[in-house]
Each structure stands twice: as structure tokens, then as C-alpha cells.
């Protein structure tokens, strides 16, 4: 059973997500919070696998909440729910460790799918959203990219292929099919890539990969 927490200052949105979670027998709602501080307190009291977190909230916003939730001893995976005109906030949340990004207009079945994906340790952004976020925020001349470029030099040729596929928004299963690898092997490659690049999730790795494409690797 995947334990889910809903974090949004809009009571109407919380009610809608609560009803949605109730439709899936594999999900259990552990609680609701109207701001980030309440979310952190709730997560300390109840084991939570996935937190659906709004960006703009009073007291503690979604970016700060994401960082605080991910800093807990047993952190939940965080999926950000927002409107697409808040690109800067979304990037901040991803940098803080969010594993997913969904628009509030996302169809209900895709939201449920996203919960399962991030609960399993993967990232969840649609390829279109991934490309948009990465394209908007890649920084080929940043200190982060220069450090990542050096780290990327330690990757094997196969790991570089996997990283490129991650940057294209592919899932582990899709990467395995493309490169003719077992999904477990892809997962192991991704884990090493994250370690070498010094990032916490595949979304951050994808952003770095796009930086490297633009800035070169030499």
C-alpha cells in the first residue's frame, strides 16, 4: 500500500485529490496539509511514501517544503503540482529534490500513475514537460556544469548513453528497450550516474545532461 499525503492551501484542490486517491485500492491517504510546515509535521508523525505538493502556499512554500521533506530520516518522494507558468518555482522544487512535476490540469489517471512511479524510486515528468523545463533552465557555462562535465568524464560509454536517454525523458524500461539492456541494469547505471554527477534524482541529471550537450564535454 502506497501512503500518500496531499499538500495544498486550496481546500477544493485537496478535496479533489483526496477523492482521486480514494479511487485506487493501492493507495492510502495518510493526511492533508494546507502549507509546507504542516506537511513536515505530518510526515514526521506518519510514514509517507509520496507527497503531492503545491508550489505557492503560505507559511512554507512548496520549494522549502520539498527540501524539508527530503531532509527527513525517511523522506517521502515529492511530486510537485502546479500551473505551468511557474517555471522558476518548478525548477527550484526539482533542485530541492522533487521526483516529479505535474500540471494541475493533468488527467486523474496520469496523476495516479505518477504516484506509483515516484513511489518506486523513478522520476515522473512527461517528455514534453521534461524538454521544456530542461530547455528553459540549462546553464552550459555554470559552475555546476563545469563540475558535472568533469564528473561525466568518469562515466563509461554505456553510462553516457543512458544519461542521454534520461535527458530525453525516457523511463528505465524504455531505455532498456532502446539500448537492449535489462531494466535492472539500467537502474544500476542510473544510480551510478547520479552518484558521479552529484545529483539526487534523474530530473537533475537530465538538466545537467542538457547543459553538457550545449557546453560540450571537453
Amino acid at each position: 500500500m502506497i501512503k500518500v499525503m496531499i499538500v495544498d492551501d486550496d481546500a477544493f484542490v485537496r478535496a479533489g485529490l483526496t477523492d482521486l486517491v480514494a479511487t485506487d485500492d493501492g493507495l492510502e491517504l495518510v493526511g492533508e496539509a494546507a502549507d509546507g510546515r504542516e506537511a513536515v509535521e505530518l510526515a514526521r508523525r506518519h510514514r509517507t511514501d509520496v507527497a503531492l505538493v503545491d508550489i505557492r502556499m503560505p507559511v512554507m512554500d512548496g520549494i522549502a517544503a520539498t527540501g524539508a521533506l527530503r531532509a527527513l530520516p525517511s523522506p517521502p518522494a515529492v511530486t510537485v503540482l502546479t500551473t505551468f507558468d511557474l517555471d522558476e518555482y518548478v525548477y527550484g522544487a526539482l533542485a530541492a529534490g522533487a521526483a516529479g512535476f505535474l500540471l494541475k490540469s493533468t488527467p486523474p489517471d496520469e496523476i495516479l500513475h505518477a504516484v506509483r512511479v515516484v513511489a518506486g524510486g523513478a522520476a515522473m515528468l512527461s517528455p514534453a514537460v521534461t524538454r521544456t523545463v530542461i530547455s528553459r533552465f540549462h546553464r552550459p557555462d555554470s559552475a555546476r556544469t563545469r563540475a558535472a562535465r568533469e564528473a561525466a568524464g568518469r562515466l563509461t560509454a554505456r553510462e553516457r548513453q543512458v544519461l542521454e536517454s534520461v535527458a530525453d525523458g525516457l523511463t528505465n524500461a524504455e531505455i532498456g528497450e532502446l539500448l537492449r539492456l535489462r531494466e535492472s541494469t539500467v537502474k544500476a547505471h542510473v544510480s551510478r550516474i547520479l552518484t558521479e554527477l552529484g545529483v539526487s534524482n534523474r530530473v537533475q541529471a537530465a538538466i545537467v545532461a542538457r547543459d553538457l550537450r550545449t557546453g560540450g564535454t571537453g
Side-chain angles (χ1 to χ4, degrees):
M1 185 72 73
I2 299 172
K3 298 184 180 296
V4 181
M5 175 171 59
I6 296 168
V7 188
D8 199 300
D9 62 326
D10 188 324
F12 180 77
V13 172
R14 293 201 307 272
L17 290 173
T18 295
D19 290 344
L20 178 61
V21 168
T23 67
D24 193 314
D25 293 338
L27 306 182
E28 177 185 345
L29 182 68
V30 298
E32 304 174 30
D35 60 63
R37 187 170 64 186
E38 287 184 9
V40 174
E41 293 172 353
L42 183 63
R44 286 193 178 113
R45 296 196 304 270
H46 303 283
R47 182 178 71 82
T48 306
D49 299 310
V50 177
L52 296 175
V53 180
D54 186 26
I55 286 287
R56 284 186 167 178
M57 297 182 294
V59 184
M60 180 187 288
D61 66 21
I63 297 175
T66 296
L69 288 169
R70 293 299 299 165
L72 294 175
S74 297
V78 176
T79 291
V80 173
L81 288 169
T82 189
T83 53
F84 198 53
D85 61 341
L86 301 178
D87 291 342
E88 291 83 359
Y89 295 101
V90 172
Y91 180 77
L94 295 176
F101 164 43
L102 296 177
L103 307 183
K104 287 186 175 179
S105 59
T106 300
D109 59 334
E110 291 186 22
I111 293 177
L112 294 175
H113 175 64
V115 170
R116 293 183 177 281
V117 168
V118 299
M124 182 62 189
L125 291 85
S126 72
V129 170
T130 300
R131 286 192 294 271
T132 300
V133 172
I134 292 171
S135 295
R136 183 174 176 86
F137 294 103
H138 76 86
R139 295 178 172 84
D141 298 321
S142 69
R144 177 199 70 200
T145 303
R146 291 193 293 273
R149 187 177 300 129
E150 180 180 348
R154 298 192 291 269
L155 300 179
T156 66
R158 178 63 83 186
E159 287 166 347
R160 285 174 176 267
Q161 289 179 314
V162 171
L163 177 59
E164 286 292 311
S165 297
V166 169
D168 289 332
L170 301 185
T171 65
N172 286 352
E174 290 168 338
I175 295 172
E177 183 176 353
L178 176 67
L179 300 180
R180 299 182 182 278
L181 297 172
R182 292 182 179 179
E183 189 170 349
S184 59
T185 301
V186 174
K187 186 175 181 179
H189 281 317
V190 171
S191 178
R192 174 174 147 71
I193 289 167
L194 298 184
T195 299
E196 287 296 334
L197 295 184
V199 297
S200 62
N201 60 52
R202 62 197 293 135
V203 178
Q204 295 172 347
I207 293 171
V208 169
R210 179 61 64 89
D211 290 350
L212 293 176
R213 285 178 181 176
T214 304
T217 56

